[in-house]
Amino acid sequence: MGTERKRKVSLFDVVDETSAKIVKSNGLGGLAAMSANSSINQWNGRPYSQRYYDILEKRKTLPVWQQKEEFLQVLKANQTLILVGETGSGKTTQIPQFVLDAVDIETPDKRRKMMVACTQPRRVAAMSVSRRVAEEMDVTIGEEVGYSIRFEDCSGARTVLKYLTDGMLLREAMTDPLLERYKVIILDEAHERTLATDVLFGLLKEVLKNRPDLKLVVMSATLEAEKFQGYFYGAPLMKVPGRLHPVEIFYTQEPERDYLEAAIRTVVQIHMCEPPGDILVFLTGEEEIEDACRKITKEVGNMGDQVGPVKVVPLYSTLPPAMQQKIFETAPPPVEENGPPGRKVVVSTNIAETSLTIDGIVYVIDPGFSKQKVYNPRVRVESLLVSPISKASAHQRSGRAGRTQPGKCFRLYTEKIAAMLSVSQYSLMKQMVSPCLEAQKAADEAKARFGHIDGDHLTLLNVYHAYKQNNEDQSWCYENFINHRALKSADNVRQQLVRIMARFNLKLCSTDFNSRDYYVNIRKAMLAGYFMQVAHLERTGHYLTVKDNQVVHLHPSNCLDHKPEWVIYNEYVLTSRNFIRTVTDIRGEWLVDVAPHYYDLDNFPQCEAKRVLEKLYRNKGKDREESRNRR
Ligand code: CDP
Ligand code: MG
């Protein structure tokens, strides 16, 4: 088997033996003429399946294939390279395979193989893309091609290409600071700047200095990529020309008061009046998307057999993988022969903007909003905000309509991305103001039942316990205004954490529920994880975040019956004022115990908190001395 495997020559010497042969042999009349060598899959030694060849034909029509040779030459000559190409041009699926074909990933002693990594900002993309690539390479997912996302590592000793979230690569860097298991790192979707990508950029710059053999490819769908060029010392930039069909763009005459309702109406209109072709609707979050899916299915159902059937599929990041795959299914066939054609309607968050490509979309409905992760470097917290999308996003979204044939994009806003702003404030307010006061009262009462005076984290824990005691019952959740899905996923995360702890032989220990220290220990444990997200109550009556001294207020949703001197917080919410949300009372003494390196007063800005901490340190010193004297 070994001799049949593709010959590997030193880094980039041979550009691409396998595919060159296939191209040639196709010219000679297909499979029969192919050399014995290239009909064997070099990664697992098995003969290629017919499906491999079928997919290969399709892959070759992707725009990036036009530039394969050029790409490999530029990469050979440079340590870092930036590649820009429209969504759907084949960056994510093809470039890692080009790299694998050309780079010698064996270690000098030939004992093991190094890997090619391709990072994705989203878990969904990492999973679905790696599955697709495993199929394209005719190997089993988890073996030669794998993925790694938080709590789930689907890769193994044979893995040569791994898709992983930016966060996972960062985590790996903690134990493998030079990322020595990788030969080439591909940072995909670099325009989607998250906290993890930003940190990765800095880290990789350092690693590249120390690892001359490592290569970095930065890929992006938008031209903002030019900015990265400056960052990586003028690395060469390659542009893949797009292959888009024309997209007609329609705007509404007046700003829409309710974009959700407008989006649903537009779907129904397209389904009634427009020629065949699938529809992609952009909305902002899970709840809104599920709501829209139900309403669309119902409205189309009410129209009877005047119109064709619809398959309405949601897409958002917390959807289970099997459900996510549904977006790739084809539209339903007509109910009767010669009846009106069926249509697929995908209702998605901005995942479908650049991370995932769905073929067959002809109509795009863009209300102009998205939930965006806004990273505030001053307080080191990411928050999600519903905000109007940028021009670049609007362009990306409309582009999704022209992938396979000329398309249409319906923008539910006026041409003037000023009008938008007023709509956005309206929608933000609607989210915050409860529609019905009576329901609000009942919800408040339910909340009070679980409330814990020491903080919101403990309140959440009470909710979780009650949920388990009520056998995870869905109607119990409904009656108590609790999001069943959120609790189910919390339970999931808990189980995953237990498994991880078991894998690392970490002891699971909890304080007895009847012990006085039960809640105290939980609060200390929370602090050990969140010591960087602490605020101190100043004499002026407001809170200041520790070290960065931002004035913040407790979010009105908190359960506390007092204003604690010190709190940890989960979220920093930017609205009319700066709020901290999900807060729990902690003790200043614990700070000095749990994270003395962080609460090192030498590099602490002058503020009340510093003076309080100084006192706490002095007390701690005194305590120690006293106990020594006693002994
Ligand atoms: O990364 P980029 O947006 O440039 O493109 P890609 O994700 O590599 O997608 C290229 C093509 O691969 C798409 O047009 C789809 O036809 C196909 N693809 C697929 O069939 N299934 C997937 N999960 C991902 C991509
Ligand atoms: Mg991509």
Side-chain angles (χ1 to χ4, degrees):
M1 187 164 67
T3 52
E4 279 174 343
R5 288 200 177 179
K6 194 177 113 183
R7 190 167 53 99
K8 279 276 172 208
V9 193
S10 69
L11 186 61
F12 299 109
D13 270 347
V14 166
V15 170
D16 181 17
E17 236 182 347
T18 315
S19 68
K21 263 181 201 142
I22 291 168
V23 175
K24 228 186 307 165
S25 60
N26 277 347
L28 291 173
L31 269 179
M34 205 169 287
S35 78
N37 213 10
S38 61
S39 65
I40 297 293
N41 189 337
Q42 61 151 329
W43 301 113
N44 56 17
R46 294 194 203 119
Y48 283 122
S49 66
Q50 183 56 43
R51 184 161 168 72
Y52 166 84
Y53 294 105
D54 293 345
I55 302 182
L56 184 63
E57 284 311 308
K58 279 211 202 103
R59 290 170 54 200
K60 283 190 204 152
T61 65
L62 290 169
V64 287
W65 274 73
Q66 306 278 320
Q67 269 149 303
K68 184 174 176 181
E69 313 277 319
E70 188 191 338
F71 166 80
L72 290 173
Q73 269 158 26
V74 178
L75 189 63
K76 183 183 175 183
N78 297 276
Q79 193 178 16
T80 305
L81 147 69
I82 293 150
L83 183 80
V84 184
E86 292 268 1
T87 310
S89 54
K91 297 182 301 298
T92 309
T93 53
Q94 308 306 306
I95 294 291
Q97 295 187 68
F98 292 173
V99 169
L100 266 184
D101 273 347
V103 180
D104 186 0
I105 53 170
E106 265 172 272
T107 48
D109 62 10
K110 307 262 177 243
R111 273 216 232 128
R112 60 192 173 88
K113 287 200 164 60
M114 291 164 84
M115 278 188 280
V116 173
C118 181
T119 70
Q120 298 290 312
R122 297 162 197 282
R123 296 153 52 94
V124 193
M127 283 192 289
S128 87
V129 145
S130 58
R131 274 180 211 285
R132 166 74 186 180
V133 172
E135 217 185 336
E136 291 189 0
M137 286 172 59
D138 217 6
V139 299
T140 313
I141 182 78
E143 299 263 323
E144 289 79 6
V145 176
Y147 65 88
S148 176
I149 58 179
R150 189 176 57 141
F151 302 136
E152 194 183 345
D153 182 6
C154 179
S155 67
R158 299 169 59 92
T159 304
V160 287
L161 169 58
K162 189 161 81 174
Y163 286 86
L164 72 178
T165 51
D166 309 274
M168 280 313 293
L169 188 62
L170 262 188
R171 190 167 300 194
E172 289 185 4
M174 289 179 190
T175 48
D176 177 12
L178 290 181
L179 294 165
E180 280 174 294
R181 66 193 89 169
Y182 299 111
K183 188 76 178 202
V184 179
I185 292 176
I186 304 170
L187 274 191
D188 201 0
E189 307 262 350
H191 57 276
E192 283 223 14
R193 305 274 297 277
T194 61
L195 173 54
T197 9
D198 273 15
V199 178
L200 259 186
F201 272 142
L203 181 114
L204 284 170
K205 214 165 138 171
E206 281 306 302
V207 175
L208 286 168
K209 271 191 230 154
N210 295 298
R211 286 254 332 257
D213 65 312
L214 179 75
K215 300 248 176 196
L216 174 71
V217 181
V218 180
M219 305 204 291
S220 169
T222 67
L223 264 179
E224 279 172 54
E226 277 161 5
K227 282 193 209 142
F228 308 130
Q229 241 184 322
Y231 190 76
F232 287 106
Y233 309 112
L237 175 80
M238 263 185 81
K239 288 180 195 167
V240 182
R243 188 201 44 182
L244 277 180
H245 297 274
V247 176
E248 254 183 290
I249 295 181
F250 302 88
Y251 291 92
T252 50
Q253 298 290 325
E254 307 215 336
E256 290 289 346
R257 289 191 69 75
D258 182 341
Y259 68 81
L260 184 61
E261 190 262 330
I264 296 167
R265 200 176 58 220
T266 313
V267 172
V268 175
Q269 269 167 11
I270 293 173
H271 190 50
M272 281 182 352
C273 310
E274 296 284 337
D278 297 338
I279 306 174
L280 171 63
V281 188
F282 285 101
L283 290 177
T284 67
E286 173 179 339
E287 252 169 72
E288 203 175 72
I289 288 171
E290 291 290 354
D291 191 27
C293 286
R294 271 191 303 272
K295 286 183 176 150
I296 294 167
T297 310
K298 192 169 152 213
E299 289 214 13
V300 174
N302 286 345
M303 292 161 81
D305 45 18
Q306 298 166 27
V307 292
V310 284
K311 183 191 285 179
V312 188
V313 280
L315 176 65
Y316 45 87
S317 56
T318 48
L319 201 66
M323 297 286 287
Q324 282 166 7
Q325 281 309 108
K326 275 189 181 298
I327 59 165
F328 296 109
E329 288 176 7
T330 51
V335 179
E336 289 167 33
E337 220 178 311
N338 298 326
R343 228 186 268 272
K344 176 170 71 177
V345 181
V346 179
V347 188
S348 171
T349 61
N350 52 0
I351 296 183
E353 220 171 82
T354 57
S355 302
L356 286 178
T357 299
I358 311 159
D359 287 338
I361 299 290
V362 177
Y363 307 96
V364 164
I365 300 173
D366 172 15
F369 295 104
S370 71
K371 244 187 215 158
Q372 285 163 15
K373 257 199 190 153
V374 183
Y375 171 55
N376 183 334
R378 283 199 60 87
V379 280
R380 284 177 257 107
V381 169
E382 278 177 324
S383 29
L384 275 175
L385 278 184
V386 174
S387 1
I389 59 172
S390 66
K391 250 189 188 163
S393 284
H395 176 73
Q396 278 296 333
R397 289 181 171 192
S398 62
R400 316 314 279 138
R403 293 258 315 117
T404 29
Q405 67 183 76
K408 291 182 180 174
C409 173
F410 299 85
R411 291 185 174 159
L412 305 181
Y413 40 94
T414 61
E415 210 166 345
K416 289 198 194 91
I417 309 258
M420 281 282 295
L421 274 173
S422 64
V423 184
S424 97
Q425 264 156 21
Y426 170 80
S427 86
L428 275 171
M429 271 174 43
K430 210 178 74 180
Q431 280 199 328
M432 294 187 310
V433 178
S434 168
C436 163
L437 278 175
E438 213 146 294
Q440 183 62 46
K441 208 172 137 227
D444 285 345
E445 279 166 16
K447 199 170 160 192
R449 271 200 291 286
F450 303 110
H452 192 295
I453 53 163
D454 281 335
D456 300 322
H457 296 97
L458 304 180
T459 303
L460 291 173
L461 182 66
N462 284 346
V463 170
Y464 177 79
H465 283 152
Y467 164 76
K468 296 297 273 189
Q469 267 161 20
N470 284 281
N471 303 318
E472 304 165 26
D473 181 36
Q474 205 159 348
S475 50
W476 176 85
C477 288
Y478 185 79
E479 282 155 22
N480 287 282
F481 297 86
I482 283 161
N483 183 340
H484 180 252
R485 200 192 289 264
L487 273 168
K488 241 173 100 168
S489 90
D491 212 17
N492 240 327
V493 169
R494 186 178 191 275
Q495 282 162 22
Q496 283 165 333
L497 286 172
V498 169
R499 277 201 296 273
I500 290 176
M501 289 183 70
R503 204 183 311 143
F504 290 103
N505 284 326
L506 292 170
K507 216 173 111 208
L508 284 171
C509 51
S510 6
T511 312
D512 182 66
F513 185 67
N514 296 313
S515 157
R516 277 172 59 191
D517 288 334
Y518 181 75
Y519 285 112
V520 170
N521 285 349
I522 291 174
R523 282 153 66 200
K524 281 185 179 167
M526 300 280 324
L527 177 65
Y530 285 101
F531 61 85
M532 281 165 62
Q533 285 166 219
V534 169
H536 179 254
L537 177 64
E538 304 285 296
R539 240 166 298 170
T540 47
H542 55 245
Y543 283 85
L544 272 192
T545 57
V546 152
K547 280 207 181 176
D548 11 62
N549 286 359
Q550 296 280 301
V551 177
V552 289
H553 303 269
L554 297 182
H555 194 268
S557 66
N558 79 76
C559 294
L560 300 161
D561 70 341
H562 60 295
K563 271 177 119 179
E565 185 184 356
W566 297 92
V567 290
I568 46 167
Y569 60 91
N570 250 51
E571 268 179 301
Y572 183 93
V573 190
L574 303 155
T575 50
S576 48
R577 302 167 98 183
N578 292 347
F579 286 114
I580 44 175
R581 190 160 60 188
T582 317
V583 290
T584 285
D585 182 348
I586 51 134
R587 306 276 299 275
E589 294 89 311
W590 303 344
L591 293 172
V592 258
D593 286 340
V594 164
H597 53 288
Y598 189 75
Y599 288 90
D600 173 9
L601 296 179
D602 287 345
N603 51 40
F604 226 83
Q606 279 305 336
C607 59
E608 234 173 274
K610 180 173 180 166
R611 288 188 286 279
V612 177
L613 285 166
E614 275 166 353
K615 213 163 121 195
L616 290 170
Y617 271 110
R618 274 200 303 275
N619 288 350
K620 201 177 156 188
K622 243 189 261 161
D623 283 354
R624 224 182 276 143
E625 212 164 293
E626 273 171 20
S627 77
R628 238 200 323 261
N629 291 345
R630 268 202 301 273
R631 263 190 272 134

